[in-house]
Amino acid sequence: MDKHWSSRTRLVHGGIRRSQYGEMAEALYLTQGFAYDSAEQAEARFIKAEEDEYIYARYGNPTVRIFENRIAALEGAEDAFATASGMAAVNASLMSLLKAGDRVVSSRALFGSCLYIIENLLPRFGVEVRFVDGTDNSQWMEAVTPGTTAVFLESLSNPALELVDLVTVAGIARGAGAKVIVDNVFTTPIYSRAFEFGADVVVYSATKHIDGQGRCLGGVVLGSREYIRGTLEPYLKHTGGAISPFNAWVMLKGMETLDLRVRAMSASALKIAQVLEGHDSIEKVIYPHLPSHPQYSLAKSSMEQGGTVFSLDVKGGQDAAFRVLNALDLFTISNNLGDAKSIVTHPATTTHQRLGEEQRASLGITPGLIRVSVGIEDVNDLLQDLWQALDAA
Ligand SMILES: *Cc1c(COP(=O)(O)O)cnc(C)c1O
């Protein structure tokens, strides 16, 4: 891998390995196993598999390896391990590291399933968990005491789009000897500077922007070679969270267009968010690169663009929000994000339904809140559709 290549080039060429046929598109090795030339070779491989030697697809697969190498090259990480879903990645990043008696500090504003792992599962195994308001550096400072094993956070939270000041939090964690694990889905790999800002481990749901066309589940954990091969791989290869080679191949092809898609989607998201701020039916528009965002300066300094998602708080609560959703023509009501197709979600009654009303309120998830994932359609078509739906409601 040429270190001078920019990220857009790495997305197309990173990790490539060609077979003896010299295929242009990455080969899809849809195989669970690998044949050995001799009993001695099988024995040697079980003692130590070298970089391009495989044993069983739960441990590794050549197509999966291209995907892992490509995303590691993009992020500037030493190594990566791909998983069956984003949640398999989050779970393994924590479970492979933690043991009874350890302590984890996490921001409270988490994706529902991440919250389940940290709030419900970890304490069952004797891990002490402490939640903080991720936007408040003083709470991190107070909670991350020496001996804390890990800090977990989403760099940009869903759906309230709050940022964590990663440089500061990583500094606090380093002082306490804690590993920093960042769920970076909303920032996307395109704007990610998580390792540069001090993260030790970065986790993605590849289901979102990396596939980007709503086809497959997938995930990936990135970090130092020591962590990925020494801590994470033994856990994952024996517990079965491996990605299908087919899904890894889809993700690889998704990566080729990731930069183009995410930049176009983010430009549209900014434009739509700016215009909608002027609509009478709206209480507020939440988007990191709007000057009205409470962490605007942090968002400007830490993210090159504002991301592909914004949230709208419409006047009139849930009834009004439902009327808007039902009046939309081009936007689809669904719960994925980062897709080529634009998607709207009502978090309070779907993705965050499980939380109580009080918890939702503390996370800024009001009854009128609509999360909008902006796709690659024409921006004016999207704007017109949202505007007419807000008028109709
Ligand atoms: C979607 C998502 C996940 C889980 O990913 P899956 O691929 O659905 O398992 C985890 N964290 C965040 C922030 C997400 O958006």
Side-chain angles (χ1 to χ4, degrees), residues 38-50:
S38 64
E40 288 77 9
Q41 190 186 51
E43 181 189 28
R45 200 152 314 167
F46 270 80
I47 293 169
K48 186 173 177 4
E50 297 298 338

Side-chain angles (χ1 to χ4, degrees), residues 300-321:
K300 289 293 272 188
S301 65
S302 61
M303 290 174 73
E304 198 188 316
Q305 282 181 288
T308 64
V309 175
F310 65 87
S311 291
L312 296 174
D313 200 358
V314 298
K315 291 177 185 162
Q318 180 177 324
D319 290 349

Side-chain angles (χ1 to χ4, degrees), residues 99-330:
K99 59 179 186 328
D102 284 349
R103 180 181 156 83
V104 172
V105 180
S106 170
S107 69
R108 198 173 287 119
L110 294 182
F111 183 75
S113 301
C114 298
L115 187 66
Y116 174 78
I117 290 172
I118 294 178
E119 189 174 38
N120 299 74
L121 286 186
L122 293 185
R124 274 203 226 160
F125 296 92
V127 175
E128 185 198 335
V129 172
R130 173 85 188 270
F131 285 103
V132 297
D133 172 351
T135 64
D136 185 346
N137 288 343
S138 66
Q139 291 193 23
W140 287 108
M141 184 73 89
E142 198 248 323
V144 183
T145 49
T148 300
T149 317
V151 158
F152 187 88
L153 58 97
E154 287 176 21
S155 45
L156 181 59
S157 76
N158 166 34
L161 305 176
E162 293 176 346
L163 283 87
V164 172
D165 176 357
L166 185 54
V167 173
T168 302
V169 173
I172 295 168
R174 204 172 310 115
K179 259 199 172 28
V180 180
I181 305 174
V182 177
D183 179 339
N184 219 17
V185 168
F186 276 68
T187 313
T188 88
I190 299 304
Y191 311 120
S192 169
R193 291 162 68 195
F195 284 114
E196 185 188 322
F197 290 167
D200 297 296
V201 178
V202 171
V203 180
Y204 285 105
S205 165
T207 315
K208 312 293 167 53
H209 303 87
I210 294 175
D211 175 332
Q213 292 165 74
R215 297 161 292 196
C216 292
L217 289 173
V220 66
V221 185
L222 298 123
S224 68
R225 183 146 296 131
E226 186 195 355
Y227 170 79
I228 297 292
R229 297 299 148 196
T231 302
L232 186 84
E233 183 188 291
Y235 178 85
L236 267 170
K237 79 181 194 186
H238 296 302
T239 56
I243 191 171
S244 150
F246 179 80
N247 289 8
W249 180 81
V250 170
M251 298 308 177
L252 264 171
K253 302 317 283 179
M255 283 189 81
E256 293 188 340
T257 57
L258 181 66
D259 186 277
L260 302 174
R261 284 184 287 107
V262 166
R263 286 182 195 280
M265 286 152 72
S266 299
S268 296
L270 174 63
K271 180 170 177 191
I272 298 168
Q274 281 169 336
V275 174
L276 291 187
E277 270 198 316
H279 198 286
D280 290 342
S281 306
I282 283 177
E283 196 72 48
K284 72 177 167 186
V285 180
I286 307 170
Y287 187 65
H289 276 201
L290 285 181
S292 57
H293 191 286
Q295 297 165 295
Y296 176 65
S297 65
L298 176 61
K300 289 293 272 188
S301 65
S302 61
M303 290 174 73
E304 198 188 316
Q305 282 181 288
T308 64
V309 175
F310 65 87
S311 291
L312 296 174
D313 200 358
V314 298
K315 291 177 185 162
Q318 180 177 324
D319 290 349
F322 274 28
R323 282 197 299 274
V324 173
L325 293 190
N326 292 332
L328 285 164
D329 210 23
L330 178 54

